[in-house]
Amino acid sequence: SGLLQRVPRITVEKAHRYPSAKQWEAADLVVFYLQMQPMKPSQFAMMDAFLQRGGGLVAIHGAFIQGPIGTEVAKRFGLAWKRGQTRWGVLPMPSSVEPGRVHGILEDFPDELALVDEHYWGLDGKTNELNVLVTSQAGPQKGSKGPPKDNQLDGKKWPIFWTKEIGKGRVFGSIPGHN
């Protein structure tokens, strides 16, 4: 938040666990990074109203891990952790910008990104409802002493950056963010 506070005409407020109703009403953009579980129906209702009026959500890394309410989180963030299905490990390098996915977020980015970070795959959600911007294959599950080798990759394209529109609202999802 320190960097954003230096931008002209930007006001930054922190919220521990979940924004208040007053914060939702005043915000144009809400960024989620940490696990907030368990979210309640009243909190989802505030998020839904915010998106319907045209608010923006950014969900980064740990925000996707919300325990048994993952399906409800996936409806808003696009994807979410699903116990017994989702896997994690080291993010292989490079990650690929999807061909034809022109988006302002990726302006002036190369076709491949070398990110040193943690990767989640097999998340709950409907990828056909996402504008997937960047993908990566998955390698071995859990820890590693470095990026997976080519012969350890699964050959699939897992979303790591995407956008989603909900009503007038827009969402940006980022699996990277651990490091």
Side-chain angles (χ1 to χ4, degrees):
S1 69
L3 179 63
L4 287 175
Q5 290 173 332
R6 290 189 255 164
V7 177
R9 299 183 316 269
I10 298 287
T11 302
V12 177
E13 284 189 35
K14 294 179 184 178
H16 183 69
R17 294 280 182 207
Y18 199 81
S20 68
K22 184 177 176 183
Q23 287 175 310
W24 278 112
E25 290 168 11
D28 293 316
L29 175 70
V30 176
V31 178
F32 287 94
Y33 177 74
L34 298 175
Q35 300 171 24
M36 305 157 286
Q37 63 181 328
M39 278 193 269
K40 301 172 185 143
S42 61
Q43 292 171 317
F44 285 122
M46 286 188 275
M47 190 183 301
D48 292 342
F50 173 77
L51 287 166
Q52 290 304 316
R53 75 170 169 83
L57 287 180
V58 174
I60 303 170
H61 194 65
F64 300 104
I65 306 173
Q66 302 302 327
I69 58 169
T71 299
E72 289 301 313
V73 171
K75 288 178 186 175
R76 282 84 178 176
F77 292 173
L79 299 173
W81 190 278
K82 185 171 185 175
R83 191 178 310 242
Q85 173 181 303
T86 301
R87 303 289 179 248
W88 65 271
V90 174
L91 182 66
M93 290 191 278
S95 298
S96 301
V97 174
E98 286 299 288
R101 296 296 182 169
V102 178
H103 197 285
I105 292 172
L106 297 175
E107 189 172 322
D108 296 327
F109 273 72
D111 291 340
E112 294 183 333
L113 305 176
L115 304 171
V116 178
D117 215 306
E118 188 174 68
H119 187 17
Y120 305 150
W121 63 93
L123 294 155
D124 191 22
K126 298 177 181 176
T127 56
N128 64 328
E129 294 179 359
L130 307 178
N131 178 24
V132 178
L133 304 173
V134 178
T135 61
S136 180
Q137 295 183 57
Q141 186 178 325
K142 300 187 180 174
S144 173
K145 294 190 187 246
K149 301 194 178 8
D150 287 344
N151 65 351
Q152 296 175 304
L153 300 176
D154 68 358
K156 297 180 181 175
K157 293 176 132 187
W158 299 100
I160 62 167
F161 295 125
W162 63 87
T163 62
K164 176 178 178 158
E165 294 186 16
I166 301 174
K168 294 179 185 174
R170 295 185 293 174
V171 177
F172 174 72
S174 172
I175 296 301
H178 185 89
N179 292 341

